[in-house]
């Protein structure tokens, strides 16, 4: 693994040397005269020599220094080569002369006393070479347990003849061929609890630790032990030229990884699965700072690629940045803890001006008032303000697409309550022709009728909407008030109004009793509506890729992606401030899935997916949603008209409350239906021809499972299952935000 140095004055060496020198199997290279000529020029930098003068000086040199006893012979066993070199001091002087004065001779001397350790030789190899080439240390310790594979040859300096060889051996040999006098120690089993102490301290503490290993456990272990010994740590991630500096020598109480991991330590990590470690690894590299293409790659791991990518250009850039930082740090120059970037894409990219986003202009109160019907509607009973606010508060608990809460309530001087569509809150890819909002309005009106009956208030609802996209939806006239609740066919459901919520948990699948499913159907199947259900696992397995594939296509759609990003509330603070949208906590995601959401948040990631037909892993996000379902329910109607959506919204609300009262949970899985509606009725959809073809394929596949005879309009779809209570419930805006009292 290491070269053998033969000193001519050492008799025992010379015996072995003679055997090698005379062997026909050993290649002998003696270029000592040329090296001496370089030495003479290095010693006399101000002089210019002719070829003859230099030849004469070399001859004179060997009169002063007996040639047979000058310099050393170096044997490289793996190459069966015997090379004659200058003695160590002169060799170093000549080899590093082109460093002056980027590195002064005094600095070179100081660096020769330093010990550097490198863990991980896939990326660390380029760092080791760069440091060795500059002679940025006098001793190097290398650790890696892995062997060279074909897929490593996109970034590691090696050839196919080296396949199967230990990476640490390859690196040690290459460095020895650059500088056989540089001391190298190798740890062929990599780093573990049992040998970390020796790596850091045998022969004296390291002056610098460079971490390029893949194991999160070892990264943490190495930092904990390095911090205890006040050894600084450098790391390069091969993405955006990110250099990480932790000056434990100056800050012995500094949190490892700048505190990004939280309170976890090596002992904690040992008890975690690889999946549980993923979010911590992503925290360390920084989701907000990694490149778009790395985000794409992380989402494609185990989909279209087997591991994350590392390019030779990035690896060699990392070798340069770490070698530079290493030299400065070891020479006592100011290198502060932190993260630094040498992002070549950013440096050489031309400025790109993105098209300005047109913000939705919110309507004023007067805009809504102008929509009121020109009628003589009058309520015989006028609600008190507390009654009105209570009723609206309950109505506003209705489900709406993306929790957009697209309603505006106007209570006029005649005691009539009007429902108007606040389009600025709901405009989206999925709210095609306002149909998603109509479902929400139907649910809200159903709640008002149930709650009013429970309050003893008799009312009547007059629908105004005749055509899609009309903004005046309905008016509610209050007829009378009684001391006790009045009759309502579904009055027992009023207890479920406050209970109803979306629950996205995935627990073990549990079938629903047939009589319970019949009860759901009886609540849904009013005039013109029907409820179709599937609960066979094979059918759910067929449905999952359809729902997932359509979810992916929605994200790849420019407006669909914009809608998705804007409706998510990415933190508890965002959810509390807006009191609308989908709180990310309600998605009931594990830490790896939540981390993936952070990657999707970068629009460049999705744009890359779109251009390269990637992101197929996004289609699998909903797999467990469908496969853990007790059943999937499809609400269908005779006709595709506004009234049908209002009716279905009311039916969904009834079924949802009944299910929640019985201990079941519902989650809408309807995005695909709204996109189907759009493509079947419009030509300009924003989808490519290939995407359209795929969407129609998904539609055909859906109709092999549901609505097989195509006799009904597919309006809304939910999955139902039995799970524990949701971790978080979606918030609603205050009543005052949606109510105008004239």
């Amino acid at each position: 693994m290491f070269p053998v140095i033969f000193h001519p004055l050492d008799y025992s060496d010379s015996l072995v040397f003679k055997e090698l020198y005379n062997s026909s199997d050993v290649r002998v290279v003696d270029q000592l005269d040329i090296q001496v000529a370089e030495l003479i020029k290095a010693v006399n930098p101000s002089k210019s020599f002719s070829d003859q003068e230099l030849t004469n000086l070399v001859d004179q040199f060997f009169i002063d220094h007996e040639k047979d006893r000058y310099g050393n012979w170096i044997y490289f066993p793996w190459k069966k080569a015997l090379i004659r070199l200058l003695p160590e001091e002169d060799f170093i002087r000549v080899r590093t002369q082109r460093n002056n004065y980027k590195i002064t001779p005094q600095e070179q001397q100081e660096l020769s006393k330093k010990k550097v350790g490198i863990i991980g030789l896939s990326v660390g190899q380029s760092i080791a070479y760069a440091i060795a080439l500059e002679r940025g240390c006098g001793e190097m310790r290398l650790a890696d347990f892995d062997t060279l594979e074909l897929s490593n040859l996109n970034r590691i300096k090696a050839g196919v003849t080296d396949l199967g060889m230990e990476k640490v051996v390859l690196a040690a040999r290459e460095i020895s061929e650059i500088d056989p006098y540089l001391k190298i120690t190798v740890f062929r089993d990599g780093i573990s609890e049992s040998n970390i102490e020796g790596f850091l301290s045998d022969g004296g503490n390291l002056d610098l630790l460079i971490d390029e290993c893949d194991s999160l456990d070892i990264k943490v272990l190495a930092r904990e032990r390095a911090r205890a010994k006040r050894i600084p740590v450098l790391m390069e991630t091969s993405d955006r030229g990110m250099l990480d500096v932790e000056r434990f020598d100056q800050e012995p109480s500094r949190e490892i990884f700048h505190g990004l991991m939280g309170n976890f330590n090596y002992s904690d990590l040992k008890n975690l699965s690889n999946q549980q470690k993923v979010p911590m690894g992503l925290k360390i590299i920084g989701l907000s700072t990694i490149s778009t293409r790395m985000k794409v790659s992380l989402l494609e791991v185990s989909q279209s690629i087997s591991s994350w990518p590392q390019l030779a250009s990035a690896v060699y850039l990392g070798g340069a940045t770490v070698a530079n930082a290493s030299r400065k740090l070891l020479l006592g120059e100011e290198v502060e803890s932190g993260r630094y970037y040498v992002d070549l894409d950013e440096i050489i990219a031309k400025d790109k001006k993105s098209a300005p986003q047109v913000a939705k202009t919110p309507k004023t109160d007067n805009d809504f008032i102008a929509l009121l019907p020109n009628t003589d509607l009058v309520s015989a009973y006028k609600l008190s303000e507390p009654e009105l606010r209570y009723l609206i508060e309950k109505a506003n608990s209705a489900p709406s697409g993306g929790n957009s809460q697209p309603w505006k309530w106007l209570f006029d001087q005649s005691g009539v309550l009007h429902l108007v569509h606040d389009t600025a809150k709901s405009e989206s890819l999925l709210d095609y022709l306002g149909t998603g909002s109509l479902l929400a309005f139907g649910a809200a009106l159903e709640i008002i009728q149930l709650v009013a009956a429970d309050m003893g208030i008799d009312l009547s609802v007059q629908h105004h909407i005749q055509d899609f996209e009309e903004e005046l939806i309905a008016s509610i006239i209050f007829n009378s008030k009684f001391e006790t609740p009045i009759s309502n066919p579904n009055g027992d459901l009023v207890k479920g109004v406050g209970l109803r919520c979306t629950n996205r948990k995935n627990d073990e699948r549990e079938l629903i009793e047939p009589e319970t499913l019949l009860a759901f159907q009886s609540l849904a199947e009013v005039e013109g509506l029907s409820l179709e259900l599937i609960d066979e696992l094979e059918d759910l397995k067929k449905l999952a890729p359809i729902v997932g594939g359509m979810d992916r296509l929605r994200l790849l759609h420019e407006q669909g992606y914009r809608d998705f990003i804007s409706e998510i509330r990415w933190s508890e603070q965002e959810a509390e401030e807006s009191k609308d949208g989908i709180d990310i906590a309600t998605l009931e995601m594990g830490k790896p899935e939540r981390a993936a959401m952070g990657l999707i948040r970068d629009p460049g990631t999705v744009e890359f997916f779109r251009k390269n037909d990637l992101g197929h892993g996004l289609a699998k996000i909903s797999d467990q949603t469908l496969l853990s379902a007790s059943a999937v329910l499809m609400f269908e109607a005779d006709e595709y008209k506004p009234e049908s959506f209002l009716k279905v919204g009311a039916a969904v609300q009834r079924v949802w409350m009944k299910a929640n009262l019985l201990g079941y949970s519902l989650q809408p899985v309807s995005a695909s239906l709204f996109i189907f509606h759009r493509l079947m009725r419009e030509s300009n959809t924003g989808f490519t021809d290939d995407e359209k073809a795929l969407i129609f394929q998904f539609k055909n596949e859906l109709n092999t499972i549901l609505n097989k005879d195509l006799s009904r309009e597919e309006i809304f779809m939910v999955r139902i299952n039995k799970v524990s209570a949701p971790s978080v419930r979606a918030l609603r805006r205050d009543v005052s935000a949606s109510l105008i009292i004239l």
Side-chain angles (χ1 to χ4, degrees), residues 625-659:
T625 298
L626 275 298
L627 299 181
S628 66
S630 302
V632 168
L633 314 181
M634 172 86 88
F635 293 81
E636 300 166 356
D638 288 341
E639 297 180 78
Y640 190 85
K641 59 183 182 179
E643 183 184 1
S644 299
F645 284 88
L646 288 172
K647 283 184 177 181
V648 168
V652 168
Q653 180 68 29
R654 290 193 295 272
V655 171
W656 206 323
M657 291 186 292
K658 182 69 172 179

Side-chain angles (χ1 to χ4, degrees), residues 538-728:
E538 286 306 309
D539 285 335
L540 297 175
K541 286 180 178 178
K542 293 177 185 176
L543 184 60
I546 299 170
V547 171
M550 290 299 294
D551 285 343
R552 170 183 173 266
L553 288 170
R554 178 205 173 187
L555 282 175
L556 296 187
H557 188 277
E558 185 176 351
Q559 182 184 358
Y561 175 73
R562 192 165 61 242
D563 297 339
F564 173 76
I565 293 300
S566 64
E567 76 185 20
I568 298 294
R569 300 297 172 258
W570 298 91
S571 67
E572 183 179 352
Q573 181 181 353
E574 278 189 25
E576 287 287 348
E577 288 175 353
S578 69
K579 295 190 183 301
D580 64 5
I582 298 176
D583 183 346
I584 193 169
T586 67
L587 299 181
E588 303 289 357
M589 289 182 165
K591 289 183 178 179
E593 292 79 14
R594 194 158 175 172
M597 282 283 284
L599 298 173
I600 295 170
R601 194 176 181 181
D602 178 3
T605 301
V606 175
E607 178 64 22
F608 192 92
F609 283 159
R610 186 183 298 120
K611 287 182 177 179
N612 296 277
D613 190 27
L614 293 172
H616 294 280
L618 301 174
K620 299 180 181 180
I621 292 175
S622 58
D623 280 4
Q624 199 54 32
T625 298
L626 275 298
L627 299 181
S628 66
S630 302
V632 168
L633 314 181
M634 172 86 88
F635 293 81
E636 300 166 356
D638 288 341
E639 297 180 78
Y640 190 85
K641 59 183 182 179
E643 183 184 1
S644 299
F645 284 88
L646 288 172
K647 283 184 177 181
V648 168
V652 168
Q653 180 68 29
R654 290 193 295 272
V655 171
W656 206 323
M657 291 186 292
K658 182 69 172 179
N660 287 170
L661 286 167
L662 293 175
Y664 293 99
S665 294
L666 259 70
Q667 177 188 347
V669 287
S670 293
S672 58
L673 302 188
F674 295 108
I675 297 175
F676 293 153
H677 294 162
R678 185 178 288 271
L679 260 71
M680 289 188 291
R681 291 168 174 83
E682 283 190 6
S683 57
N684 186 16
T685 62
F687 290 102
T688 66
D689 289 342
D690 287 343
E691 288 170 340
K692 287 178 183 177
L694 184 56
I695 290 170
F696 285 122
Q697 177 184 323
F698 283 138
K699 176 69 168 66
N700 292 334
E701 290 173 0
L702 174 70
N703 293 131
T704 66
I705 308 167
L706 291 159
N707 193 24
K708 295 179 182 179
D709 60 3
L710 302 177
S711 62
R712 315 281 285 170
E713 295 288 349
E714 300 145 6
I715 304 296
F716 200 68
M717 189 162 60
V718 299
R719 72 100 185 238
I720 182 169
N721 59 349
K722 183 162 267 189
V723 293
S724 56
S727 304
V728 177

Side-chain angles (χ1 to χ4, degrees), residues 47-274:
K47 294 183 180 180
S48 179
F49 302 103
S50 67
D51 291 346
Q52 186 58 55
E53 286 176 324
L54 198 54
T55 300
N56 293 338
L57 287 171
V58 170
D59 292 340
Q60 182 60 48
F61 183 91
F62 286 121
I63 293 173
D64 299 334
H65 304 79
E66 186 180 346
K67 191 170 187 177
D68 288 343
R69 293 182 175 273
Y70 176 75
N72 299 310
W73 286 88
I74 317 295
Y75 179 60
F76 297 91
W78 57 92
K79 286 197 167 179
K80 291 189 175 181
L82 190 63
I83 316 296
R84 193 173 190 184
L85 295 177
L86 296 171
E88 182 172 356
E89 184 177 342
D90 292 339
F91 174 89
I92 294 171
R93 180 170 188 171
V94 173
R95 196 180 78 76
T96 63
Q97 65 175 322
R98 296 293 292 272
N99 289 355
N100 296 333
Y101 281 96
K102 293 273 191 168
I103 305 173
T104 68
Q106 293 79 9
E107 289 172 332
Q108 204 79 67
Q109 181 63 29
E110 182 65 23
L111 289 170
S112 71
K113 303 172 186 175
K114 303 298 183 180
K115 305 177 183 68
V116 173
I118 302 174
I119 303 175
L121 272 302
S122 285
V123 174
Q125 184 203 61
S126 67
I127 296 170
Y129 290 171
I131 292 174
L133 284 165
E134 292 184 359
R135 217 169 205 279
C137 65
E139 178 183 344
M140 193 178 289
R141 299 174 195 163
L142 305 175
D144 199 311
F145 65 89
D146 206 2
T147 57
L148 185 73
E149 298 176 340
L150 184 58
S151 60
N152 299 142
L153 293 183
N154 75 320
R155 64 195 183 279
I156 289 181
K157 185 180 182 297
V160 292
T161 57
D162 300 313
L163 291 174
M165 189 173 292
E166 295 167 75
K167 293 176 183 177
V168 71
V169 172
L170 280 170
R173 287 179 174 179
E174 185 77 21
I175 293 168
S176 294
E177 290 179 31
I178 294 168
D179 190 335
Y181 297 115
L182 185 64
K183 182 180 179 182
I184 300 174
T185 306
V186 297
F187 287 69
R188 300 172 74 169
D189 296 325
I191 293 299
S192 62
E193 278 188 274
S194 62
N195 69 5
I196 182 69
E197 191 69 25
F199 183 79
L200 295 175
S201 298
D202 280 1
N205 280 355
L206 291 177
D207 296 288
L208 173 65
L209 171 63
I210 298 169
D211 164 37
E212 297 298 336
C213 73
D214 293 334
S215 166
L216 181 60
D217 300 34
I218 299 304
K219 284 180 176 293
V220 173
L221 174 66
R223 280 165 176 76
E224 287 178 351
R225 299 295 177 84
R227 181 174 58 182
K229 296 175 180 293
R230 303 187 70 158
I231 299 171
V233 177
L234 297 181
M235 176 181 73
E236 210 281 339
T237 60
S238 302
D239 182 64
R240 296 190 62 215
M242 195 272 274
L243 172 68
D244 193 88
V245 182
E246 294 171 280
R247 293 301 304 265
F248 297 129
D249 54 328
Q250 297 177 343
E251 306 163 87
S253 59
R254 183 179 183 83
E255 290 185 276
I256 66 171
F257 288 119
H258 317 290
L260 293 171
M261 252 186 64
N263 295 321
F264 279 89
N265 55 36
Y266 174 68
S267 299
D268 298 325
L269 287 175
K270 287 195 299 182
N271 300 318
L272 298 181
S273 67
N274 287 334

Side-chain angles (χ1 to χ4, degrees), residues 416-661:
V416 178
L417 181 62
H418 306 276
L419 171 58
V420 174
H421 185 182
D422 187 351
T423 54
K425 288 188 169 61
S426 64
E427 183 183 343
S428 68
L429 176 71
L430 300 186
D431 196 24
Y432 175 59
L433 300 177
T435 51
S437 295
L438 286 171
L439 291 165
F441 300 146
L445 291 170
E446 180 70 14
I447 291 173
I448 282 180
Q449 294 183 82
L450 286 171
V451 173
D454 191 58
M455 295 168 68
I457 298 172
D458 178 58
L459 58 76
S460 54
V461 178
Q462 180 176 322
H463 292 160
H464 297 293
I465 185 168
Q466 298 296 315
D467 296 319
F468 289 116
E469 297 187 304
E470 291 180 352
E471 295 174 71
L472 177 62
I473 307 302
S475 296
I476 303 160
I477 303 98
F478 301 96
N479 301 317
S480 56
K481 169 75 183 286
F482 300 93
E483 294 299 321
T484 58
I486 61 175
S487 175
N488 183 298
N490 300 304
D492 60 319
L493 297 180
V494 74
K495 297 174 184 176
V497 171
L499 190 63
R500 190 218 64 81
C501 69
T502 300
N503 190 335
R504 299 181 177 87
K505 282 188 173 178
N506 298 319
D507 288 354
E508 189 173 344
R509 185 168 185 262
E510 182 178 325
L511 288 175
I512 302 173
E513 294 295 328
E515 56 268 26
T516 302
L517 295 173
L518 287 173
F520 294 151
Q521 286 182 305
S522 68
L523 289 169
E525 294 184 337
V526 297
E527 182 184 357
L529 303 187
S530 61
L531 181 65
E532 189 176 359
L533 62 89
I534 54 172
D535 61 359
E536 293 290 336
L537 187 57
E538 286 306 309
D539 285 335
L540 297 175
K541 286 180 178 178
K542 293 177 185 176
L543 184 60
I546 299 170
V547 171
M550 290 299 294
D551 285 343
R552 170 183 173 266
L553 288 170
R554 178 205 173 187
L555 282 175
L556 296 187
H557 188 277
E558 185 176 351
Q559 182 184 358
Y561 175 73
R562 192 165 61 242
D563 297 339
F564 173 76
I565 293 300
S566 64
E567 76 185 20
I568 298 294
R569 300 297 172 258
W570 298 91
S571 67
E572 183 179 352
Q573 181 181 353
E574 278 189 25
E576 287 287 348
E577 288 175 353
S578 69
K579 295 190 183 301
D580 64 5
I582 298 176
D583 183 346
I584 193 169
T586 67
L587 299 181
E588 303 289 357
M589 289 182 165
K591 289 183 178 179
E593 292 79 14
R594 194 158 175 172
M597 282 283 284
L599 298 173
I600 295 170
R601 194 176 181 181
D602 178 3
T605 301
V606 175
E607 178 64 22
F608 192 92
F609 283 159
R610 186 183 298 120
K611 287 182 177 179
N612 296 277
D613 190 27
L614 293 172
H616 294 280
L618 301 174
K620 299 180 181 180
I621 292 175
S622 58
D623 280 4
Q624 199 54 32
T625 298
L626 275 298
L627 299 181
S628 66
S630 302
V632 168
L633 314 181
M634 172 86 88
F635 293 81
E636 300 166 356
D638 288 341
E639 297 180 78
Y640 190 85
K641 59 183 182 179
E643 183 184 1
S644 299
F645 284 88
L646 288 172
K647 283 184 177 181
V648 168
V652 168
Q653 180 68 29
R654 290 193 295 272
V655 171
W656 206 323
M657 291 186 292
K658 182 69 172 179
N660 287 170
L661 286 167

